[in-house]
Amino acid sequence: MSQVTFQVNAQVNAQPEDEWQAHLDAARGQTVYFHAWGGSAEANRYLRWAAGELREHYDIRLRHVRVADISEAVTRLLAESRSDASASAVDLLWVNGKNFHALKEADVLLGDLSTQVPNSHLLDSQLPYTVDFGIPTDDYELPWGMGQFYLMYNRESAPELEPDGYLSPAALLDFAQGNPGTLSYPLPPDFHGTTFLKQLLIALSDNDPRLAEPYQVATGEALLTQLFAYLDQLHPLLWRDGRAFVGSAAEQQRLFADGRLLMAMSFNPGELVSAKARGSLAQSSEAVSLGPQAITNSHYLAIPRHASAPSAALVTMNFFLSPKAQQRKADPEYWGDPAVLKAEHLQTAPELRFESASEPHVSWNEVIEAAWRERYE
Amino acid sequence: MNRAGWWLAAIPAAAILGIPLLIAPLYLSIELFSLPLSALVEFAQRPSLLHSIGITLLLALLPTMAALYVAIFFVAGRRPPTWIAPLLAMPHVAFAVGMSFILVSDGWLSRLLPMVNLPIADKSLTLTLLVLFFKELPFLLLMAAVVMQQLPTRAWYLSGASLGYSRWQTFTRVVLPAALPRLRLPLIAVAVYALAVVDVVSVVGPNLPAPLALRAFNWQQQFAGQSQAFAILAQWLLLMLTLAAVLLVIAHERALVWWARRLASQGPGLPGKARKRLQQAGQALASTLTVTTAVLTLFALLSMLLWSVAQSWPGDAWRPQQLTLAHWRWEGDYVLDAIQASLGLALVSASVGLVLSVLVLELQVRVGRYLPVWLPLLPILLPQLPMVIGWQLGISYFNLPVGWLWVAWSHTMFCFAYAYLMLNRDYLAFDSRWLLVAASVQKSPLQAFVSIKLRMLAGPLIFAWAVAFSVSILQYVPTVLLGAGRVVTITMEATAYGSGFERSLAALYALGQVSLPALVFVFAVVVNRILKKETVRC
């Protein structure tokens, strides 16, 4: 199927077909080291399927290098660029936000992706994917899927959490007061942990327009003060009295499944459905947004300029953007990560549950993380 | 070969083992001196840095010393039981995953025995201290047993008794001062391991703040702000803390020996009742804790087996509600892949490490000059994280390709040191007159070396290889940092899943991680038995 799609695309895209054919030929027998977050069981299983497809149809070996945080791969790429390495250890990476920003700034990414990847013209241009955490992508990364941040709770063990549409920060604090020691969040700079802080900031400040701009001390500090005033109240009520935090969203979900924590968090709209289907989470588990608008972002694929197997990386990227791969990715039975293609290429349109809020400008990330460490570490 | 020839042969051996040890400080120094002073100032202002240093020293010294005293009290009474050795096959991370399930409040233990609910929190210093203590106890007991075998304890106890000393009195006055210096290097190895350990701490350790090694590892993996500079400075701080820990271990040893000597100068005397009771209580506690570590290891194993077939296991139930083989079916192949990767690495690095350690020992015998024992053991007496990061810097400085070869090479360094630790006393104690006997029946020197010396040392050689093999399986930091994702071992998988969502997967990979060292230990025991039988027949 993807083969057929490609042929149609190649013509529409007016890309010289022999150039793409050259990539396909060169890709045969190559190994793609795909550095990608390994903390999602669904994503891991999906990538195993993708590896099988790529091997069968393109003779490419896809190796998922499961990182705890993609900043590991970014650090490696930046170190490689400092020592002028000619062949990178990374062929393809799953990236967005501050990590993309750092790579783009260091100029270590392959550009002009949309002209090189035929399936890129299937992308739904209605989606706001050309800006990543306030930074223009400039064709150095292509969208792969969408995430929307939400909390999970169990309606049986937390019956008082029957929110009207969303959970306000005040209601969360109330809940924490009534159930001390049952909430936690992943230790920043874990990206779920930092997103939780940004989500709080958005909810507390009514999505202040300053969040969309680069952080400035003069105007931004008041917002941070608001956030930390809230956290100072919340932390003593958390799991381990806020003196230790869960290490990752996955660890938090484990404690949630055990009933030791009453909430967990996720960026993947399909995660709750698939975890319930697998029996890993109770059927009474529900999703709720923290605040009326949920942080919604795209996550992307990028190729290092010095990738060891650039052709295979391009072919892999093209496969990930094929209707077949996108359709399967969006299916909660497999992963549940919303597709980024135009609806006409998909059997079912992806749905985001909550009203969207954009990511704050990338500069807020580091400011929040640094201030958090300064205050609580 | 004449003596000069052996001297020449020593040069490449020294280069193979010495250069890596020099590269690490060299590149850490280059990076250090290229840092601006402001980085140092900022590093010193890192929040809770002193707190991190404090818990790092505590982790290095408290479990180590506690395990030492348990071992001392144990061997004062009797020989450690043989079932201690297989406990070494339980990897640290797998053990940590098991303990975080069993020991914490409302954990498995309190569900099995509702009246026992220990006030131990997940991700806490207490839990980490317990994990390290129970994990290191079998190793120190085994090392203590080895030391006891080397000492003429029987004769000492007999002559002590004839002078009116009780067994305990002879032990404290004569045996202990002789045994402690021989336990120095194993103690330092354990303390330094705990000082620089990353994987265990990331599963069960406190994280606000985390111990210094984990913070250093995280800085190394991040690019924001000054993270990279902090990582370098943290490595130097770790090296300094190592020095402090080593000095404390030695000071403690001296103090204990001084105390024993003072006792000896006082003569037998009659021990006070209170003191005697204290000694008995100490021995009873030592036995209890030794049995406890075995029981905990078994229960960790049992919990992994149960989790690996659990369809669902609610947080308040003492057993899974539904069983399934689905995890094994779905993940089995991937577990096997990872096991295969580990197996290849471990076979190569343990074997090369063993050959190198024999080479280094044989060179000393031939040349007739002996290295101080600590020198070849440096790879395990120095904290691992700074050393590996030094290698990583060196490798990227020369733009060398990452991957399997470097991982295998780094594993070999640690395998070599552990093989040397296990082997050196037996090897150097070998009576070379056996070789003269061999020469008299017209065997070539090589034939004699292989068929007499190696054959007679086969037992220690096999055990040294088994330990080196397990050491390679356990490596986490060098595999992650030098492998760049090219090499995915069972330990990497077990660590990743160990802090992941699904306990069933964590259990499955932990079982995979246990299986290899366990098999190799069984193999070593069986081969050793067969060889012994053959020797008797000859």
Side-chain angles (χ1 to χ4, degrees), chain A residues 6-15 121:
Chain A
F6 140 71
Q7 280 169 8
V8 177
N9 307 336
Q11 284 159 11
V12 177
N13 220 23
Q15 192 206 7
H121 86 285

Side-chain angles (χ1 to χ4, degrees), chain A residues 33 41 48 66 71 74-76 83-85 89 99 102 240 243 245 250-251 254 258 260 278 373 377, chain B residues 48 105 122-124 207 215 221 223 228 315 331 334 396 399 481 486 493 497-498 500-503:
Chain A
Y33 288 93
R48 283 178 182 175
R66 292 203 314 267
S71 66
V74 175
T75 306
R76 195 176 281 284
S83 65
D84 292 319
N99 295 299
R240 304 270 288 101
R243 282 181 288 121
F245 284 74
E251 194 174 80
R254 186 178 77 205
D258 282 355
R260 299 165 77 88
R278 276 202 317 276
R373 294 221 153 245
E377 181 153 58
Chain B
S48 306
S105 65
D122 215 349
K123 297 246 167 219
S124 66
N207 57 17
R215 288 180 85 175
Q221 301 272 49
F223 57 87
Q228 292 293 306
E331 291 291 321
Y334 299 96
S396 73
N399 242 326
L481 291 183
R486 299 304 197 251
E493 297 284 47
Y497 284 109
F501 174 23
E502 290 180 64
R503 269 194 216 275

Side-chain angles (χ1 to χ4, degrees), chain B residues 59-361:
Chain B
L59 287 176
L61 295 172
L62 195 58
T64 312
M65 288 303 156
L68 171 70
Y69 278 95
V70 170
I72 286 176
F73 272 102
F74 201 104
V75 294
R78 58 199 168 98
R79 283 177 53 164
T82 42
W83 47 258
I84 285 293
L87 298 182
L88 292 184
M90 173 63 95
H92 286 76
V93 175
F95 186 72
V97 170
M99 290 307 105
S100 74
F101 176 64
I102 294 170
L103 288 182
V104 295
S105 65
D106 299 323
W108 200 28
L109 181 67
S110 68
R111 290 179 234 162
L112 290 167
L113 304 166
M115 58 287 218
V116 188
N117 201 0
L118 303 172
I120 299 171
D122 215 349
K123 297 246 167 219
S124 66
L125 189 58
T126 319
L127 182 59
T128 320
L129 289 169
L130 285 172
V131 165
L132 289 172
F133 167 74
F134 282 118
K135 190 64 204 94
E136 298 304 0
L137 181 54
F139 177 70
L140 284 180
L141 266 171
L142 205 69
M143 293 316 284
V146 171
V147 168
M148 287 297 142
Q149 277 176 356
Q150 290 161 356
L151 297 173
T153 47
R154 248 179 93 94
W156 286 348
Y157 284 133
L158 277 174
S159 54
S162 70
L163 291 171
Y165 290 95
S166 71
R167 185 183 161 97
W168 172 255
Q169 285 175 319
T170 310
F171 178 81
T172 47
R173 286 159 177 76
V174 184
V175 182
L176 190 61
L180 277 174
R182 291 164 187 254
L183 278 171
R184 187 190 303 155
L185 293 178
L187 268 180
I188 292 177
V190 169
V192 171
Y193 168 81
L195 191 113
V197 66
V198 170
D199 47 7
V200 169
V201 171
S202 73
V203 175
V204 294
N207 57 17
L208 203 65
L212 189 64
L214 184 57
R215 288 180 85 175
F217 184 73
N218 288 337
W219 276 319
Q220 177 67 18
Q221 301 272 49
Q222 286 161 18
F223 57 87
Q226 296 263 44
S227 300
Q228 292 293 306
F230 294 161
I232 300 292
L233 289 163
Q235 304 313 325
W236 282 102
L237 191 50
L238 272 177
L239 285 169
M240 285 190 275
L241 291 181
T242 304
L243 188 65
V246 169
L247 291 177
L248 283 170
V249 167
I250 294 175
H252 167 267
E253 174 199 313
R254 294 267 158 89
L256 215 54
V257 169
W258 173 82
W259 171 79
R261 293 252 161 81
R262 215 180 58 130
L263 274 185
S265 69
Q266 288 167 352
L270 273 180
K273 256 202 176 136
R275 186 170 281 192
K276 187 146 195 206
R277 219 172 282 150
L278 200 68
Q279 163 223 330
Q280 280 166 346
Q283 283 180 320
L285 187 65
S287 299
T288 313
L289 287 170
T290 305
V291 174
T292 307
T293 183
V295 172
L296 285 176
T297 307
L298 277 178
F299 269 74
L301 211 55
L302 189 64
S303 74
M304 287 173 211
L305 279 169
L306 283 175
W307 265 113
S308 76
V309 293
Q311 167 80 36
S312 70
W313 191 345
D316 50 0
W318 67 273
R319 64 180 174 86
Q321 309 246 290
Q322 272 176 304
L323 300 183
T324 173
L325 282 175
H327 307 303
W328 286 89
R329 250 196 333 264
W330 288 109
E331 291 291 321
D333 285 348
Y334 299 96
V335 176
L336 282 180
D337 278 353
I339 285 182
Q340 221 177 340
S342 285
L343 185 64
L345 265 176
L347 285 176
V348 170
S349 36
S351 305
V352 176
L354 182 70
V355 170
L356 279 175
S357 65
V358 169
L359 186 72
V360 171
L361 286 162

